[in-house]
C-alpha cells in the first residue's frame, strides 16, 4: 500500500532529505517544475505551444511555478507570470527561482491576470500550504466560471491537502501534478473532483532517508495508507477442506426482511468462506430457503437460541445487522459479542444502539468490525461527526477517533472509505480517478460489503485486513460490472475479479 503524506509529513520528508545532503531545496524545485512540464506534454501531446499564464504564490509552490514558467518558455510557449504576493514574502529558494525567471521576463501583479487571454494556466499559488481562504478576486471568479486548461502544482488552490475540503473560493484543475506521494486531500471528500487527473512525480525523495518516528509515537502518527490491492491472502490451499476456510453465521430478520442478509450471505460464500449459514426466525425460514441453495438456513428465535447455536465452535465469524430489525438486534448483538468471535456489525445492529451508544461500546471487543455509513456514524459518534461536519477534522481523524473510542476496527463508508483500528493505524479505499465506481450508490451494496468482510474473517483474516480487502474487492466488482449494477450483481462479479488477480 502507498503512503499518503499529510502536509506536515511531506514537509518533514523534504526537510530530512535536504538535511541529509542528498538534495537541495533548489534541486527539488527544478525537478518539480520539470515534472509539471513533462506532465503537461504527456496530457496534451497534440497541443502546440501557445499562451500560458503561471500564477505564483508567496511560498515554495510559487517557486515551482517560476521554474515551470522558465521551462515552458524554453519549449516555445508565450508565457506570462503573475505574482500573488510581494517578492520579499517569498522563501529563499523560491526567491532564487523568481530571480532566474526575471532574467527572462517580467512578473506582473495578480490583479492584471485575465484568464480569457490564455490557453493554459498554471496554478502555483498555494499547493499544500493553504490554510485559509483566498480573498475573493475577479480573477479567481473568472477561473471558476469559465476555466481554461488549468494545471495545479500539488493541489488546486482552495483544496485542503489533509482533509480534501474546499476552502472557497476554490479552483478546479484539469490536471494536478503532485510530488513523491499523493496527499490525503487528493482522495478525500471533494479532492478527486477538484484535481481532475492526478499525476504523481518522483523528484528524488524516494531514495532519501526515511524519517524515523520516536518509539513512543502513536501509530496514528504514521501515514495514511492507500489500499491498492488485497491486504490478506485470497488463494486457497489445494488440500484444504471447507471447514478450514471457516463457517460464517449471518443473522437475519423476519419474513419479508431477508433480502439484505441473503445478499451478505452470497457475498461471504463467493469470497471464499467454506460454509455460510443464515439464521432467521421460523416464519422467515421458507422464504430464505427458497432463495438460497449453497447457503444453509437455520431457524433461530432469540438470544437464548443463539447461545446454543454458538456452542458449535466451527462457527468462527458472525454478521449482524442487514435486515435484522432493531428489536432483534438489541437482543442478539450482546449475545454475539459475548462469544468473542470475529464479528461484523452493520445497519440495524448499529442503529439499534443509536440512543445509547455507550451500551454498545461496552460489549465490543477488538475482533469486531463496525461498518457505518455517515448517518449511522453520526448516531454512534455524534460529537466526532459534528467536528467532521464542521470541517474541524478530516474523515481520517474522525474514523481514528471512533475506532479508539469503540476499541475495534471501524470502516466509515463512502467513495473515500476510511478504515481504522483502535491503535490509530488507518487506510483509505478510494473509488476515485481511474477507480471511480459511482454505480455502488445502489440499495444493498453495503450489505454485500458486510458479507465480504465476514467471509474474509471466517477465512482467518484479521479485522483490519479483512475490512481493507473487502472494501478493495467491493470497488473492483463494481468496476468490472459497470453501469446498470445492482447489489445482486456484485457477488456474481467477484469470481472474475479474483481470477484476474490469480489466474
Amino acid at each position: 500500500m502507498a503512503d499518503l503524506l499529510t502536509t506536515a509529513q511531506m514537509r518533514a520528508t523534504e526537510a530530512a532529505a535536504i538535511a541529509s545532503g542528498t538534495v537541495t531545496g533548489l534541486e527539488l524545485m527544478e525537478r518539480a517544475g520539470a515534472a509539471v512540464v513533462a506532465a503537461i506534454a504527456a496530457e496534451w501531446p497534440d497541443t502546440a505551444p501557445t499562451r500560458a499564464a503561471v500564477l505564483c504564490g508567496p511560498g515554495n509552490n510559487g517557486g515551482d511555478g517560476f521554474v515551470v514558467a522558465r521551462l515552458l518558455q524554453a519549449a516555445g510557449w508565450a508565457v506570462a507570470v503573475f505574482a500573488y504576493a510581494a517578492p520579499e514574502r517569498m522563501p529563499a529558494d523560491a526567491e532564487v527561482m523568481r530571480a532566474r525567471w526575471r532574467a527572462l521576463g517580467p512578473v506582473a501583479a495578480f490583479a492584471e491576470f485575465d484568464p480569457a487571454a490564455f490557453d493554459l494556466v498554471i496554478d502555483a499559488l498555494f499547493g499544500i500550504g493553504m490554510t485559509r481562504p483566498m480573498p475573493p478576486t475577479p480573477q479567481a471568479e473568472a477561473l471558476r466560471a469559465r476555466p481554461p486548461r488549468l494545471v495545479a502544482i500539488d493541489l488546486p488552490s482552495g483544496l485542503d491537502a489533509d482533509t480534501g475540503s474546499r476552502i472557497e473560493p476554490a479552483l478546479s484543475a484539469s490536471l494536478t501534478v503532485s510530488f513523491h506521494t499523493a496527499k490525503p486531500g487528493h482522495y478525500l471528500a471533494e479532492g478527486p473532483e477538484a484535481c481532475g487527473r492526478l499525476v504523481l512525480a518522483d523528484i528524488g525523495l524516494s531514495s532519501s532517508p526515511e524519517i524515523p518516528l520516536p518509539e513512543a509515537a502513536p501509530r496514528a502518527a504514521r501515514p495514511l495508507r492507500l489500499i491498492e490491492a488485497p491486504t490478506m491472502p485470497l488463494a486457497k490451499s489445494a488440500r484444504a477442506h471447507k471447514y478450514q476456510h471457516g463457517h460464517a453465521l449471518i443473522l437475519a430478520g423476519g419474513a419479508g426482511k431477508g433480502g439484505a442478509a441473503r445478499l451478505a450471505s452470497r457475498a461471504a460464500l463467493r469470497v471464499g468462506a467454506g460454509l455460510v449459514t443464515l439464521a432467521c426466525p421460523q416464519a422467515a425460514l421458507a422464504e430464505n430457503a427458497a432463495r438460497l441453495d449453497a447457503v444453509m438456513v437455520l431457524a433461530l428465535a432469540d438470544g437464548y437460541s443463539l447461545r446454543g447455536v454458538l456452542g458449535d465452535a466451527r462457527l468462527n465469524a458472525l454478521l449482524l445487522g442487514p435486515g435484522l430489525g432493531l428489536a432483534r438486534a438489541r437482543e442478539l448483538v450482546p449475545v454475539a459479542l459475548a462469544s468473542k468471535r470475529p464479528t461484523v456489525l452493520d445497519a440495524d445492529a448499529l442503529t439499534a444502539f443509536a440512543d445509547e451508544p455507550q451500551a454498545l461500546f461496552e460489549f465490543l471487543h477488538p475482533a469486531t468490525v463496525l461498518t457505518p455509513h455517515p448517518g449511522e456514524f453520526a448516531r454512534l459518534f455524534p460529537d466526532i461527526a459534528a467536528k467532521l461536519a464542521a470541517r474541524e477534522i478530516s474523515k481520517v481523524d474522525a474514523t481514528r477517533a471512533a475506532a479508539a473510542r469503540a476499541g475495534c476496527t471501524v470502516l466509515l463508508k463512502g467513495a473515500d472509505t476510511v478504515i481504522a483500528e483502535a491503535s490509530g493505524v488507518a487506510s483509505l479505499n478510494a473509488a476515485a480517478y481511474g477507480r471511480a465506481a459511482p454505480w455502488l450508490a445502489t440499495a444493498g451494496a453495503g450489505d454485500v460489503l458486510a458479507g465480504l468482510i465476514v467471509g474474509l474473517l471466517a477465512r482467518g483474516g484479521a479485522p483490519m485486513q479483512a475490512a481493507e480487502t473487502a472494501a478493495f474487492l467491493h470497488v473492483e466488482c463494481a468496476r468490472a460490472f459497470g453501469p446498470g449494477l445492482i447489489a445482486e450483481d456484485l457477488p456474481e462479479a467477484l469470481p472474475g475479479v479474483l481470477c484476474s488477480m490469480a489466474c
Side-chain angles (χ1 to χ4, degrees), residues 59 100 102 168 188 199 202 237 358:
R100 290 180 182 176
R102 285 289 288 113
E168 301 295 351
L188 292 171
V199 172
D202 182 0
S237 167
Q358 191 57 42

Side-chain angles (χ1 to χ4, degrees), residues 1 82 115 148 182 192 200 294 414 425 467 488 499:
M1 291 192 288
F82 300 89
L200 295 180
V425 169
E488 288 96 321
C499 190

Side-chain angles (χ1 to χ4, degrees), residues 109-426:
F110 183 70
E112 299 176 32
F113 168 57
D114 177 10
F118 299 94
D119 306 298
L120 180 73
V121 174
I122 310 300
D123 174 8
L125 291 172
F126 296 103
I128 64 173
M130 191 164 188
T131 57
R132 59 183 184 274
M134 295 184 291
T137 65
Q139 291 75 25
E141 287 305 314
L143 278 172
R144 284 154 53 92
R146 189 171 176 271
R149 289 174 174 172
L150 190 144
V151 178
I153 300 180
D154 257 334
L155 290 106
S157 293
L159 185 69
D160 188 294
D162 295 341
T163 69
S165 297
R166 291 169 69 92
I167 307 171
E168 301 295 351
L171 304 182
S172 294
S174 306
L175 172 68
T176 297
V177 184
S178 195
F179 313 112
H180 186 51
T181 72
K183 315 306 179 288
H186 288 131
Y187 289 97
L188 292 171
E190 297 145 302
E193 182 180 3
C195 289
R197 200 169 89 80
L198 177 63
V199 172
L200 295 180
D202 182 0
I203 56 172
L205 292 173
S206 300
S207 59
S208 301
E210 291 188 11
I211 305 169
L213 283 171
E215 288 297 322
R219 299 183 78 187
R222 286 164 168 74
L224 176 68
R225 304 174 302 178
L226 180 67
I227 302 169
E228 298 176 297
T231 59
M232 63 171 279
L234 294 174
K236 289 188 171 185
S237 167
R239 298 176 62 84
H241 58 75
K242 60 189 177 185
Y243 281 108
Q244 289 178 292
H245 296 299
H247 188 168
L249 176 65
I250 297 175
L251 302 178
K257 303 293 185 181
R262 290 194 296 271
L263 286 169
S265 298
R266 194 161 182 85
L269 202 60
R270 281 288 192 196
V271 84
L275 303 94
V276 176
T277 293
L278 183 149
C280 61
Q282 181 69 43
L285 195 65
E287 169 195 329
N288 286 313
R291 298 291 303 275
L292 297 170
D293 293 314
V295 174
M296 296 177 286
V297 293
L298 171 70
L300 189 142
D302 50 26
Y304 180 81
S305 303
L306 179 58
R307 289 186 184 90
V309 169
L310 292 177
D312 184 348
R314 295 175 299 181
L315 293 165
N316 67 331
L318 314 176
L319 167 60
L320 297 88
L324 187 58
L326 301 184
R328 189 165 165 83
R330 282 190 291 270
E331 180 180 6
L332 298 183
V333 165
V335 177
L337 291 173
S339 74
K340 302 301 181 184
R341 287 170 168 84
T343 301
V344 181
L345 299 182
D346 185 42
D348 288 346
L350 304 176
T351 301
F353 294 89
D355 293 336
E356 197 178 359
Q358 191 57 42
L360 173 63
F361 299 155
E362 289 173 1
F363 295 123
L364 298 175
H365 55 78
T368 308
V369 180
L370 308 183
T371 59
H373 59 54
E376 293 159 347
F377 186 89
R379 290 191 282 273
L380 287 180
F381 308 98
D383 55 328
I384 299 173
K387 290 181 179 179
L388 177 59
R391 301 189 175 190
E392 296 174 14
I393 59 174
S394 71
K395 187 173 183 178
V396 177
D397 293 333
T399 310
R400 280 174 164 153
R405 181 177 299 176
C408 64
T409 299
V410 174
L411 180 151
L412 180 50
K413 296 173 186 174
D416 53 350
T417 292
V418 178
I419 306 162
E421 58 185 14
S423 67
V425 169

